[in-house]
Amino acid sequence: MIRSFVRGSGSALPANLVTNAQLADQVDTSDEWIVERTGIKQRYIADEGETTSTLATQAAQKALADAGVDAKDIDLIVLATATPDNTFPATATKVQHALGCNGCIAFDVAAVCSGFLYALATADSMLRSGMAKRALVIGAETFSRILDWEDRTTCVLFGDGAGAILIEAEETDDPAAGVISTKLHADGAQHDLLYVDGGPSTTQTVGHLRMKGREVFRHAVVNLAEVLGEVVENAGVSIEQIDWVVPHQANKRILDATARKLGIDPEKVIVTVDQHANTSAASVPLAFDVARKDGRIKSGDMVMFEAMGGGFTWGASLVQM
Ligand code: ACO
């Protein structure tokens, strides 16, 4: 059978670091409130000239170097973002051109914070079907550009960044190798709990992020615990066999509550929300890259990715490194 194997990863952050204390100079908030309610201590905010595509390109270049693969050998780019450079064309095509692999398949996926899971599932399916051999799966965002900087209930929660992984199709007899099992879900009835109040077909504006935080929180814990359970069951593994959980980094309290609900050792949960805040589709590959590069996630490890975001959309994927 054909399976997708992770060959490399990379990530990128804007140069401009903004601490909670700096934010408190602009809006009515405090370092104490943000840390206590979310675990966030700082975030990176894109400067003029830095866009979703420039961050995505940097992350992709690092993933290529890490895997030792030439850009010309990439035949698929799937980029998850809710903050594209332009309404069209897809940001993936700008990244493709910047990398110099023109001609390969390149498109964006829109599933907000779970975008990386949707992108990974799409690329994995295309690799398994033989449509492509080597794919860059990227999550990249500049959420700072869709925040209402006068709304303290949302603007303190997000940051900008990008993460990328390179996956490659390979024949194997081992059903527990590479991307093992992925489950995705969506529920459009929850649209109004987390959305952007603009768009080309409605207001002809970009709009700002709107969120009912408390309700999102409640749904997140329930949905994430459920989908993780589905993946574990489908893969025929136990929770104890998972070496690392790389969750979407929205809020430390969501990470803790989900781990508690499933009986996952908190030591196995990769946490970067304190450093990066919520970078939406970028958060899972960013956290993964951090934990791979600092030596925690190693070859052979069983890693669970999981995320939930606007839509709602949510999903999880079990991958053997
Ligand atoms: N600084 C100071 N005070 C604030 C701030 C702020 N930045 N924001 C809100 N407050 C105040 C509120 O006005 C409220 O005051 P009041 O009691 O006088 O009315 C008080 O703090 C409590 O507000 P709540 O919204 O009830 O606080 P809560 O404990 O629910 O925390 C939060 C809010 C952090 C948004 C939380 O609900 C959350 O993280 N939800 C999940 C949302 C999320 O992460 N979404 C991301 C995308 S989806 C996903 O990734 C899962």
Side-chain angles (χ1 to χ4, degrees), residues 23 27-34 36-40 112-114 143 151-158 193-194 209 211-221 224 248-254 278 280 283 307-310 312-313:
L23 267 192
V27 284
D28 181 15
T29 189
S30 65
D31 176 51
E32 198 186 4
W33 190 95
I34 302 171
E36 192 194 309
R37 302 290 177 126
T38 72
I40 296 165
V112 206
C113 297
S114 40
F143 254 51
D151 175 12
R152 68 174 182 173
T153 68
T154 53
C155 74
V156 303
L157 304 174
F158 297 89
L193 297 185
L194 178 54
L209 181 145
M211 178 171 69
K212 295 195 176 113
R214 191 167 280 203
E215 286 162 75
V216 174
F217 192 113
R218 196 167 46 79
H219 282 278
V221 177
L224 290 172
H248 169 50
Q249 310 284 321
N251 183 319
K252 179 72 166 59
R253 284 157 58 217
I254 296 180
N278 182 346
S280 184
S283 92
M308 183 183 124
F312 287 150
T313 55

Side-chain angles (χ1 to χ4, degrees), residues 2-283:
I2 298 175
R3 281 284 158 94
S4 311
F5 291 84
V6 176
R7 300 295 191 219
S9 65
S11 57
L13 291 161
N16 181 26
L17 188 160
V18 178
T19 63
N20 290 346
Q22 285 170 295
L23 267 192
D25 290 338
Q26 291 172 45
V27 284
D28 181 15
T29 189
S30 65
D31 176 51
E32 198 186 4
W33 190 95
I34 302 171
V35 171
E36 192 194 309
R37 302 290 177 126
T38 72
I40 296 165
K41 294 180 183 150
Q42 58 176 46
R43 74 284 296 138
Y44 294 83
I45 302 291
D47 268 332
E48 220 176 297
E50 280 176 317
T51 66
T52 295
S53 74
T54 65
L55 292 167
T57 302
Q58 287 167 33
Q61 281 165 337
K62 289 181 191 165
L64 285 164
D66 185 39
V69 169
D70 196 286
K72 296 210 164 28
D73 295 323
I74 294 296
D75 47 15
L76 171 64
I77 300 173
V78 188
L79 188 148
T81 190
T83 46
D85 282 20
N86 302 91
T87 302
F88 79 82
T91 302
T93 60
K94 286 181 91 170
V95 173
Q96 180 209 51
H97 184 54
L99 294 175
C101 46
N102 305 51
C104 78
I105 309 166
F107 59 95
D108 290 357
V109 161
V112 206
C113 297
S114 40
F116 181 75
L117 270 299
Y118 270 72
L120 177 60
T122 306
D124 177 44
S125 301
M126 291 173 79
L127 259 55
R128 285 182 191 231
S129 75
M131 205 170 185
K133 174 102 176 93
R134 270 178 224 93
L136 280 166
V137 184
I138 308 169
E141 302 278 15
T142 44
F143 254 51
S144 62
R145 308 252 155 88
I146 56 163
L147 296 175
D148 175 352
W149 286 98
E150 289 181 359
D151 175 12
R152 68 174 182 173
T153 68
T154 53
C155 74
V156 303
L157 304 174
F158 297 89
D160 301 332
I165 64 168
L166 194 155
I167 56 173
E168 185 174 36
E170 196 183 296
E171 289 275 353
T172 177
D173 296 329
D174 183 1
V179 179
I180 300 167
S181 173
T182 305
K183 294 279 174 188
L184 302 174
H185 293 283
D187 179 6
Q190 312 299 342
H191 174 280
D192 293 351
L193 297 185
L194 178 54
Y195 67 104
V196 167
D197 63 4
S201 181
T202 50
T203 59
Q204 298 84 54
T205 62
V206 172
H208 292 112
L209 181 145
R210 305 292 173 207
M211 178 171 69
K212 295 195 176 113
R214 191 167 280 203
E215 286 162 75
V216 174
F217 192 113
R218 196 167 46 79
H219 282 278
V221 177
V222 173
N223 291 344
L224 290 172
E226 261 176 33
V227 75
L228 249 89
E230 278 180 69
V231 170
V232 162
E233 195 185 323
N234 189 54
V237 297
S238 66
I239 289 282
E240 292 71 37
Q241 283 174 274
I242 299 169
D243 296 298
W244 298 103
V245 178
V246 184
H248 169 50
Q249 310 284 321
N251 183 319
K252 179 72 166 59
R253 284 157 58 217
I254 296 180
L255 307 190
D256 293 343
T258 310
R260 232 184 355 257
K261 206 170 159 77
L262 287 163
I264 295 168
D265 178 357
E267 295 287 308
K268 291 181 169 183
V269 179
I270 304 296
V271 179
T272 54
V273 66
D274 55 332
Q275 300 299 306
H276 304 152
N278 182 346
T279 58
S280 184
S283 92

